[in-house]
Amino acid sequence: MTMNTFAAPVVAPAPAGGWRDRVALLVLLTASFTLAVDFSILNVALPRIGAEVGFGLADLQWIGTAFAVCAAGFTLFFGRLADLFGRRRQFLVGIAVLGVASLAGGLATTPWVLLVARVAQGLATAAVTPAALSLLTTSFPEGRLRERALGLNGALMAAGFTTGAILGGLLTDLISWRWAFFVNVVVAVVVLAAGPMVLRENRSEQRPRLDAPGAITVTLALVAGVYGLTQAGQRSWSDPRCWGFLLAATILLALFAGIERRVAQPLVPPNLLRRRGIGWGNPAGVLAFATETSVVFLLTLYLQNVRGFTPLQTGLTFAVMGLGTVLGGVVGPRVIGALGGKYAVAAGLVVQAAATLPLVFLGSMPGWFAVLLVTTFAGGVANLVAIVGFMVTATSGLPDSEQGLATGLATMSQQVGIALGTPIMSAVVTAVGGGVGHGVATALAVNAAACLGAGLLFAVTLPGATSRA
């Protein structure tokens, strides 16, 4: 994540007119891109980190798990806190924590220090992401301006996942894995210098009591669920810990639903979930993120285990997909303007299915690498159109006082989708047998079928929206 990496896509015209709004948008987009990079930047560096810091091979998973569990598990809680106590304040405090945690991680010489830093990074991500997104949705009125801002945000976030894999390999090979942490410190300093001058505080006029029982229960449920999913991906779906934590998550979610029906001021009002834009929009977001991130996982297996690519060559191959996501974020608002959010989601998923299907036949296809580049680019464009449509649908028609909660739900859907896709597709590869190539082809076929079925389903279930002038 070099400074010009995230600056380049922002040259598109900013949605707002004043210089303060433009700088504020740049600050928010920079933070979103940085947080997205953090999800993948350390993956290729794990063996080097283990050797230098002293992690055993079996314990390397905790470097990623500690971050992912906290980032996903606390998102809904922090999304509501942003509504109650101030989005600008939470955003800036979260960025400061991210900077300090990243500095500690980069300087770590023992496993426990590095893990504490990763936990703090995850908590900072859970605080900053919904705060930044709700600052964005409350700063721009519903319609074209907000759609363009969400499009840029979605493009940078999706590109960040790909950039993280590439940048992690470059930093590890050319400088040191520690710079995967230190770049966050630089970004945090820049954001903290500009943010207080351009970001406006925005909080709910009414200050209801925080639903502490609901917040604790849903946070524990999400932590248990994400941890169970990561264990499924890193071990297997037959691992008792996987099913034990997933069962605990199910029970806690049921308990949370009971609490929300009884308390006077629930964390997630049941009537909010009954809105079709939220009730169906967030599952659409889960599926959009799960399918495309799992394609990256499957193609990583194929390129390295079947075609013999190095990690850096694999990461560079995905740069084409990253360019597609940037383009998708830019054209997504135009598609929404023409079709509405409902059909943008549906069309994006159907086109994504069409782009994924040729990947099933790479093993027997002449010119397979060119096909891979073209289809992953097209899939990246289509996926971002679906993601922008999901973000617009899941945050529209709500008062500003509920934007933190709505964006917290949307962010949670994103992170659960990222956590869900890889273990499910990994289980398909393992169950099929017949070698990695055959398993990957089967999983890609399942992925394409899921996109197609979901696109048709959401065309019926998502609420309609008229295009806006």
Side-chain angles (χ1 to χ4, degrees):
M1 181 186 50
T2 57
M3 296 300 290
N4 58 3
T5 303
F6 56 73
V10 188
V11 296
W19 72 268
R20 179 173 176 171
D21 290 323
R22 292 174 180 271
V23 177
L25 180 62
L26 178 61
V27 167
L28 295 173
L29 294 179
T30 297
S32 295
F33 181 84
T34 303
L35 296 173
V37 166
D38 278 348
F39 274 93
S40 57
I41 192 169
L42 289 181
N43 288 347
V44 298
L46 289 179
R48 192 79 56 85
I49 295 173
E52 292 190 20
V53 180
F55 281 90
L57 183 61
D59 297 325
L60 282 177
Q61 57 155 321
W62 285 104
I63 297 174
T65 300
F67 176 87
V69 166
C70 292
F74 287 84
T75 296
L76 188 57
F77 172 67
F78 279 117
R80 192 53 170 161
L81 282 186
D83 279 338
L84 300 179
F85 302 112
R87 296 157 186 145
R88 175 179 178 271
R89 177 186 302 172
Q90 181 170 301
F91 174 81
L92 294 174
V93 170
I95 288 291
V97 172
L98 178 68
V100 172
S102 298
L103 180 62
L107 297 174
T109 57
T110 58
W112 74 267
V113 172
L114 186 61
L115 289 180
V116 169
R118 289 295 279 168
V119 167
Q121 282 186 316
L123 291 172
T125 298
V128 170
T129 305
L133 194 54
S134 58
L135 280 170
L136 191 151
T137 57
T138 55
S139 297
F140 301 99
E142 191 170 317
R144 286 285 180 89
L145 293 180
R146 182 182 293 181
E147 289 164 6
R148 291 178 64 194
L150 287 173
L152 288 172
N153 185 73
L156 286 178
M157 290 192 70
F161 297 116
T162 305
T163 302
I166 300 169
L167 187 60
L170 288 173
L171 290 174
T172 302
D173 287 346
L174 301 179
I175 308 176
S176 168
W177 61 267
R178 297 183 184 277
W179 275 95
F181 286 95
F182 290 151
V183 288
N184 285 344
V185 180
V186 177
V187 172
V189 170
V190 173
V191 170
L192 289 173
M197 294 185 292
V198 297
L199 297 175
R200 299 179 177 91
E201 184 56 276
N202 194 326
R203 71 180 65 160
S204 174
E205 294 180 2
Q206 296 181 341
R207 298 284 295 276
R209 294 179 58 186
L210 179 66
D211 172 20
I216 293 171
T217 306
V218 74
T219 299
L220 290 175
L222 290 170
V223 167
V226 174
Y227 180 74
L229 290 171
T230 59
Q231 291 305 293
Q234 291 161 355
R235 299 178 184 274
S236 74
W237 281 94
S238 61
D239 191 299
R241 279 172 292 188
C242 161
W243 290 107
F245 277 96
L246 291 178
L247 177 61
T250 303
I251 294 172
L252 286 166
L253 283 175
L255 181 59
F256 171 68
I259 291 172
E260 298 305 277
R261 285 194 295 268
R262 290 173 174 81
V263 297
Q265 296 176 327
L267 178 70
V268 182
N271 65 319
L272 187 68
L273 295 179
R274 284 194 289 269
R275 291 174 179 261
R276 290 173 65 195
I278 292 177
W280 284 102
N282 281 286
V286 170
L287 193 125
F289 278 99
T291 50
E292 194 69 359
T293 54
S294 61
V295 165
V296 173
F297 164 73
L298 293 170
L299 291 179
T300 297
L301 288 181
Y302 178 76
L303 291 173
Q304 294 189 25
N305 292 3
V306 177
R307 297 292 183 174
F309 278 40
T310 66
L312 183 56
Q313 288 172 326
T314 302
L316 291 173
T317 300
F318 291 133
V320 175
M321 179 187 290
L323 292 175
T325 61
V326 173
L327 179 59
V330 173
V331 303
R334 297 182 182 181
V335 176
I336 294 170
L339 303 179
K342 169 181 181 173
Y343 293 112
V345 174
L349 289 171
V350 170
V351 174
Q352 184 183 332
T356 303
L357 188 60
L359 298 174
V360 175
F361 307 102
L362 287 180
S364 58
M365 187 179 294
W368 67 272
F369 188 66
V371 172
L372 183 148
L373 294 179
V374 171
T375 55
T376 54
F377 177 83
V381 175
N383 182 251
L384 250 292
V385 170
I387 287 174
V388 176
F390 139 66
M391 286 291 187
V392 170
T393 302
T395 58
S396 296
L398 298 171
D400 285 355
S401 60
E402 294 181 346
Q403 283 296 327
L405 177 56
T407 55
L409 285 166
T411 305
M412 181 192 71
S413 298
Q414 163 198 315
Q415 293 170 349
V416 169
I418 293 168
L420 188 68
T422 296
I424 288 178
M425 290 302 148
S426 177
V428 173
V429 173
T430 303
V432 169
V436 173
H438 181 63
V440 166
T442 304
L444 286 168
V446 171
N447 190 298
C451 288
L452 178 60
L456 298 177
L457 174 65
F458 293 131
V460 176
T461 56
L462 285 174
T466 58
S467 56
R468 287 170 282 271

